[in-house]
Amino acid sequence: MNAAADFRNIVVTCRTQFFDNDDSIPKGSGVMYAGPRRAGVPRELPLYKIFLAPFSREQIEIFIRRNFPFFSISNGALRRKARGLVEAIPELSVRPMLLELLPDLVREGRKVSELFELYSFLVDKWVLREKGWIEPEHLLGISTELAIVLLEKQQAGGGDRLSPDELGKIASQHSHPLDEWKLKSRSLLNRDIAGHYKFAHRSVLEFFIVRGIIQGDRRCFALDWTDLIKDLLVSWGQLNASNSTLLAQMIGSDSATRERLYSLASPLPIPSLRSAASVRDVLRKRDISRRHARTIPVAWRNCQYRVMTNGKSLQSLAYIIDDGTHGLRWFVNDTSQIEDASDRGIFREKYSSIMRVAGGKRLPSLEEVITIWESEIYLSNETAVRRVFDDREVYWIGDSTEGGILCCSFGIESLAGFPLKLIGTRVAEGRRNLHVYEMLAKHGSVAGKQYEAMVVAIDGA
């Protein structure tokens, strides 16, 4: 503020992630009016907070038309390709640096469907421009190392740039001394007036961190991952399904990293009052577990599960299952080895009792049930858990409809019949079916006696 004191108006830009919450963004400038003030004007010069909005569809259309004008007949097909890319990759509307790539992508006929591919295209263009003085693999290696060192420095409380001496050490490790560097215009590495180096845009640094993660550099796993790093990583996983599973296993082997990854997926809905139609919509959804617009592969999610034994009663084993992808902790009683229905009865609960679950536990939402149901085969084959859900039992769900409380069962056939009304079924190849019901009896009471069902509880706010 002292440096800007002689200017009438100042614009300061900053990404919101650098603030813990909205309240921590400064509201006052700390600079007082020097002269007289009108009535009602505070003594302190104000700070106005403005959030930049993504480009609207109309603005993007103007951009496309300017780059592919109507006077050329061949531009019609190019405009259609450009619009298709914008529809496929939502980030084009919120990142001007990426939108600027759109004309080149279309003219070169590049087929991209993922955010990671866009950044790869951006970086590929850069290394080709610099090819006259440094080989692409050297520039990529130096940039990846530079990104890791810079982010380590930032997260330790340092700045966002390196001195020539610091960068010189990194360059020399790649047999390319700094005195040979000849950065051209439109470079993704910039020098400030003091000669220090930084990336032209923070998102470029984050892309190189993802390159380090993919290459297995353990230093990257010790860093706090930003939202964009996670977005890029999941985007890369969509393109490299087999490799991404190996990477997920490596990430999951580090307990500190698993804590840092909570939650890789976007938050799942918590239990709520919903319509029967919305329940059927959820059952029809192809992908429940997502990060924003991207699916989290089930194989990737499976690698993030951790199972701990939580005691034994009769023939049942109790387990705690940590889901590192969604940041959930499940409490499961595996009753699959108990043959006698009356013996299994001790694990059933009245709905009124469940509503008083202590210790921060709650019933799961339908979406949460689906995620662990999708991973049940993995848990059965790779962990001590034989069954999360017993296909002879009914389980409570935290959601409800106007018609009643929701519950579910698992197996080939549904258990529909009073007091259960079948709403819908989710069928998946290789898994038992998931059937969802409304409990028709008010508050779960049938003929004066409360209905009992199994409970799989989770930790959750």
Side-chain angles (χ1 to χ4, degrees), residues 273-292:
L273 177 65
R274 59 207 314 172
S275 67
S278 70
V279 171
R280 285 189 283 269
D281 287 342
V282 172
L283 292 171
R284 285 192 292 264
K285 274 186 182 178
R286 181 180 174 186
D287 305 307
I288 295 296
S289 179
R290 303 174 70 84
R291 177 162 187 84
H292 306 320

Side-chain angles (χ1 to χ4, degrees), residues 386-413:
R386 189 172 183 273
R387 281 282 188 267
V388 176
F389 301 105
D390 192 325
D391 57 12
R392 299 164 296 182
E393 297 288 338
V394 175
Y395 288 80
W396 294 116
I397 300 177
D399 300 296
S400 59
T401 65
E402 293 292 344
I405 304 159
L406 293 189
C407 46
C408 62
S409 71
F410 304 84
I412 297 174
E413 300 294 334

Side-chain angles (χ1 to χ4, degrees), residues 85-96:
L85 282 172
V86 171
E87 289 297 324
I89 309 175
E91 287 83 2
L92 283 169
S93 66
V94 296
R95 297 186 182 276

Side-chain angles (χ1 to χ4, degrees), residues 24-234:
S24 65
I25 301 177
K27 296 178 174 61
S29 64
V31 178
M32 303 300 171
Y33 277 103
R37 294 172 285 119
R38 294 193 303 271
V41 175
R43 294 181 60 234
E44 186 179 12
L45 287 166
L47 289 180
Y48 298 102
K49 179 176 61 180
I50 301 172
F51 290 98
L52 298 183
F55 290 129
S56 66
R57 297 181 71 91
E58 291 77 15
Q59 289 169 321
I60 293 176
E61 182 62 23
I62 291 170
F63 177 81
I64 291 172
R65 290 180 181 179
R66 285 178 178 172
N67 279 278
F68 306 105
F70 284 99
F71 58 74
S72 173
I73 296 176
S74 62
N75 280 348
L78 298 179
R79 285 194 297 273
R80 286 192 293 274
K81 289 181 181 178
R83 292 173 187 134
L85 282 172
V86 171
E87 289 297 324
I89 309 175
E91 287 83 2
L92 283 169
S93 66
V94 296
R95 297 186 182 276
M97 181 179 67
L98 297 181
L99 187 61
E100 192 179 17
L101 299 174
L102 189 61
D104 287 342
L105 286 166
V106 172
R107 291 190 179 100
E108 293 183 20
R110 289 285 290 263
K111 294 182 179 179
V112 298
S113 59
E114 284 295 337
L115 179 64
F116 185 86
E117 291 176 295
L118 282 178
Y119 276 93
S120 294
F121 182 77
L122 173 71
V123 170
D124 288 347
K125 286 288 188 183
W126 174 50
V127 297
L128 285 175
R129 289 196 299 270
E130 309 289 349
K131 188 178 180 181
W133 63 274
I134 185 171
E135 287 300 315
E137 61 268 22
H138 290 310
L139 185 52
L140 290 172
I142 292 170
S143 299
T144 302
E145 180 70 19
L146 174 61
I148 295 170
V149 171
L150 269 174
L151 196 56
E152 285 178 331
K153 183 178 180 180
Q154 290 175 23
Q155 293 186 358
D160 64 347
R161 55 201 72 197
L162 291 181
S163 69
D165 288 343
E166 291 172 306
L167 182 56
K169 292 178 182 177
I170 295 173
S172 295
Q173 291 170 2
H174 289 262
S175 303
H176 212 286
L178 194 60
D179 56 12
E180 298 179 13
W181 280 47
K182 303 169 185 176
L183 293 171
K184 299 176 183 177
S185 61
R186 296 181 67 197
S187 173
L188 296 183
L189 268 178
N190 292 341
R191 282 191 295 260
D192 63 17
I193 57 174
H196 292 82
Y197 288 81
K198 66 184 290 290
F199 284 99
H201 197 279
R202 183 179 172 87
S203 64
V204 177
L205 177 150
E206 291 164 312
F207 171 78
F208 279 109
I209 293 295
V210 173
R211 287 189 84 253
I213 294 169
I214 293 167
Q215 293 166 5
D217 192 313
R218 299 305 304 182
R219 293 174 298 170
C220 297
F221 298 120
L223 295 167
D224 291 326
W225 293 0
T226 63
D227 281 342
L228 181 59
I229 288 174
K230 294 179 182 180
D231 287 340
L232 284 166
L233 193 57
V234 172

